[in-house]
Every structure is written in C-alpha cells, then in structure tokens.
Amino acid sequence: MRHRKLGRHLGRTSSHRKALLKNLACSLFLTERDDDFFEGMFQSDGKTAVKPPAHKGRITTTLQKAKEVRSFVERCITIAVKSLPHAEKARQFATDAERNSDAWQTWRKSSDHAKWVEAIAPVVNARRRVFAMLRDKEAVRILFDEIAPRFANRPGGYTRVLRLANVRLGDAGQQAILELVGKHDRVKQKAKKPTFDQSDDNNNGENSDT
C-alpha cells in the first residue's frame, strides 16, 4: 500500500529526483527564448549548428516524469502570476532615469522611491522563491517577464500532458508531451452547411421550360 506517500520516486534518490524536476521545469521555460539566442551556437563537433526548438513551450519526456513535473511547473507559474499586480503597482512609482544620474539621485531621495520599494518587495520575494526552486536566472526571467503575463487572467491549469503513440527506443518507455496551454490549443471547427446559389436554381428552371 502507498498510504501517505505522495508523488513518484522515479527510481531515484531524493536529491536526484529534485534535480530532475528542476531541469525539466527549466527546459520547459527556456524553450520560450528568442531564436536569435541560438545564432552562432554549434554542437560539440563544432560544425552542426544548434537549432531553436521546433515548438516553443513544449518538451517531450516520459509519461511518469511529465505527470510528476507538471505540479512543480504549475507552482512556479502560480507564484509568478500572483506577483503581477504588485509589479504593476510598482511601475507607477518607478523612474526611467539612468542609474546614478542626477534625475535618478533625485528620485532616490523622493517619496516615490519609498513607495516603489514597498510595492516591489513582494515581486522580489516571489522571484527569490522561484529561483530557489529552479536555480536558473534565465528561466526565472522568462517566467516572470513572458510566461506569467500570458496567464494573468487564467485561474490555474497552465499546462497539459499529452500521451504519444510512439514509445522510446531502447526501453519502450511511454512518452508524453508537457506543454504550456494557449499556444498549441486544438480548436474545434464546426462543419459548415453547404450553400446553394439561387441563380443556379433559376437557370436550371429556365432550361427545363425550354
């Protein structure tokens, strides 16, 4: 019996399993990088160019790993989404002046700076919480700047798991896709009823009279 034993062990120790979940989550977030990031990058042979992901916001892994990392990814996105109202409030008191310039020094001594610090504190706390979970600054930046605003009005359910028909070569493991919702949604199209041109009917009637 597995009473009071939450989650899957995945045949790994605790530290190895945590590292696996972090790497899978970071891989999912890093697929959202711009294609320009991969320009000039080559594989270990020095000749083969590194191509950007064919589908952004999607990774392929085993079914068990996809189900286990899904809750981990959802938790990270939830923390980022909850920080959006605080970030929006902080923008009202922020400044566009260059750092250490005269205008920036004036803003630092004004009351707007104190209000900005108070408003931005929950955002900094959220970023630190997610960084402690992912340990990747680039993944945290993409999550808060690009992914979280996309789900601002969505109350949960940010990912989906889709089983693949083909199994993994070598051990015949069941493969699955873990992807962010919104980009690859399947939209059902209603069948349209055929329309008949009335002019064709009139022409047919005239031909029959003759």
Side-chain angles (χ1 to χ4, degrees):
M1 297 183 181
R2 287 184 52 83
H3 293 175
R4 302 180 66 182
K5 294 183 179 180
L6 181 64
R8 301 169 177 82
H9 291 175
L10 300 175
R12 290 165 172 80
T13 60
S14 177
S15 59
H16 191 181
R17 185 169 56 255
K18 291 179 181 178
L20 172 68
L21 298 180
K22 290 179 182 179
N23 291 334
L24 289 175
C26 289
S27 298
L28 178 63
F29 296 145
L30 291 177
T31 57
E32 296 285 342
R33 286 185 292 201
D34 296 333
D35 295 342
D36 299 338
F37 175 82
F38 300 93
E39 292 184 0
M41 297 180 62
F42 297 91
Q43 297 183 5
S44 58
D45 58 1
K47 299 179 181 180
T48 306
V50 177
K51 297 181 180 180
H55 301 282
K56 295 182 180 297
R58 172 188 290 181
I59 59 173
T60 302
T61 181
T62 60
L63 179 62
Q64 292 75 16
K65 291 178 185 177
K67 289 183 177 181
E68 191 65 21
V69 76
R70 183 182 183 184
S71 60
F72 185 80
V73 172
E74 297 264 352
R75 197 179 314 125
C76 294
I77 299 177
T78 300
I79 295 174
V81 169
K82 288 184 177 180
S83 69
L84 292 178
H86 302 282
E88 185 64 26
K89 183 179 179 181
R91 292 192 190 97
Q92 301 175 3
F93 308 105
T95 179
D96 297 333
E98 185 179 356
R99 189 176 180 85
N100 294 328
S101 62
D102 294 339
W104 186 82
Q105 293 290 350
T106 303
W107 172 74
R108 281 292 303 268
K109 298 177 182 179
S110 64
S111 60
D112 288 344
H113 178 262
K115 295 178 182 179
W116 176 82
V117 171
E118 183 179 358
I120 204 67
V123 182
V124 176
N125 181 41
R127 284 180 175 265
R128 288 175 176 174
R129 287 178 59 191
V130 176
F131 178 74
M133 299 168 64
L134 299 179
R135 308 304 299 180
D136 190 302
K137 292 183 179 180
E138 183 69 12
V140 174
R141 184 193 65 79
I142 293 175
L143 173 60
F144 278 81
D145 297 345
E146 300 180 15
I147 299 177
R150 194 188 311 164
F151 299 122
N153 299 323
R154 188 181 183 93
Y158 310 112
T159 59
R160 69 165 65 91
V161 176
L162 301 175
R163 296 193 184 194
L164 294 178
N166 55 329
V167 297
R168 187 169 60 181
L169 296 177
D171 60 354
Q174 178 66 54
Q175 291 185 305
I177 289 176
L178 175 66
E179 65 180 11
L180 301 173
V181 301
K183 277 196 172 184
H184 310 289
D185 292 348
R186 284 73 179 167
V187 180
K188 293 183 179 180
Q189 297 182 354
K190 296 182 179 179
K192 296 182 179 179
K193 295 182 179 180
T195 57
F196 300 96
D197 192 358
Q198 295 182 357
S199 60
D200 295 341
D201 297 340
N202 296 333
N203 294 333
N204 294 333
E206 295 175 356
N207 295 332
S208 61
D209 295 337
T210 56

